[in-house]
């Protein structure tokens, strides 16, 4: 179910009981896959941004509960883990994944891009907004190896939000790490979907 964006926090009451979720799972997953399609942005050969929302995080929690069947105890952990990634109305949040099938190539690449989570940005008509990594964990190890999964926030001021939602701005997303430097423009459908994440 695609919910109105006023919802900023997932609570216990939002969770569909397991027996009902099991029955509706196929249909619900189809809806969320369709919704996520417009919020996925590949960047360069390995990186993909998956922009999160109340809906994507709710779907993730439902799925974790379905798989692990940990009940209320598990739900507490899942809410603590995923609620920080529900956009707060003045930000966009994304899971950034580096997807490389070959384990040797993957290890070599991640070993070269330590600190990459600090080099992510968005531009609105050339104005740069630097991404802020999620604070829960350090995503680069002491040896300088990056994690293949990063959680990041883009914080906007009111003026930037206005420009983002205006339908007339050029918006791009990029990474400017010395070992991985790419940028791409957001298409209209993606901008429309992400615009709904703002108040």
């Amino acid at each position: 179910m695609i919910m109105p964006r006023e919802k900023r926090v997932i609570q216990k009451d939002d969770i569909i009981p397991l027996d009902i979720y099991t029955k509706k799972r196929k249909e619900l997953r189809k809806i969320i896959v369709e919704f996520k399609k417009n919020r996925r942005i590949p960047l360069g050969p390995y990186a993909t941004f998956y922009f999160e929302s109340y809906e994507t995080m709710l779907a993730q929690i439902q799925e974790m509960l379905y798989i692990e069947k940990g009940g209320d105890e598990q739900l507490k952990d899942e809410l603590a883990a995923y609620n920080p990634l529900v956009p707060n109305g003045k930000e966009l949040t994304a899971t950034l994944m580096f997807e490389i099938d070959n384990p040797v190539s993957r290890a070599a690449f991640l070993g070269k891009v330590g600190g990459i989570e600090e080099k992510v940005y968005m531009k609105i008509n050339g104005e740069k907004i630097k991404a802020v990594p999620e604070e829960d964990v350090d995503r680069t190890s002491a040896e300088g190896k990056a994690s293949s999964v990063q959680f990041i926030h883009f914080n906007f001021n009111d003026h930037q939000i206005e420009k983002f939602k205006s339908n007339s701005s050029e918006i791009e997303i990029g990474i400017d790490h010395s070992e991985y430097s790419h940028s791409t423009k957001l298409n209209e459908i993606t901008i429309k979907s992400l615009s709904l994440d703002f108040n």
Side-chain angles (χ1 to χ4, degrees), residues 42-48 97-101 109 179-182:
L43 183 68
Y46 306 135
T48 308
M97 295 179 97
F98 296 101
E99 298 166 295
I100 303 167
D101 291 337
F109 172 76
E179 294 289 341
Y180 198 85
S181 185
H182 297 276

Side-chain angles (χ1 to χ4, degrees), residues 151-162:
F151 301 112
I152 52 176
H153 299 255
F154 296 91
N155 299 308
F156 295 78
N157 62 37
D158 292 341
H159 183 56
Q160 291 162 339
I161 291 171
E162 214 172 286

Side-chain angles (χ1 to χ4, degrees), residues 34 58 89 150 173:
E34 196 55 36
L58 180 59
Q150 307 278 351
I173 193 167

Side-chain angles (χ1 to χ4, degrees), residues 13 22 26 28 36 39 53 63 66 71 73 78 84 93 98 100 102 107 118 127 132 140 164 166 168 174 183 196 199:
D13 296 352
T22 304
K26 208 171 161 188
L28 291 168
K36 282 171 140 181
R39 302 171 66 87
S53 68
E63 199 53 20
Y66 170 81
E73 207 43 54
E78 303 297 355
T93 64
F98 296 101
I100 303 167
N102 181 311
E118 306 284 347
E127 184 186 349
V132 179
T140 294
F164 195 104
S166 71
S168 60
S183 72
L196 294 171
N199 283 344

Side-chain angles (χ1 to χ4, degrees), residues 29 43 45 50 57-58 61 70-71 82 94 115 126 160 164-165 174 178:
R29 282 177 66 72
L43 183 68
Y50 297 90
M57 293 293 90
L58 180 59
I61 292 172
Y82 292 112
Q160 291 162 339
F164 195 104
K165 292 163 84 172
S178 57

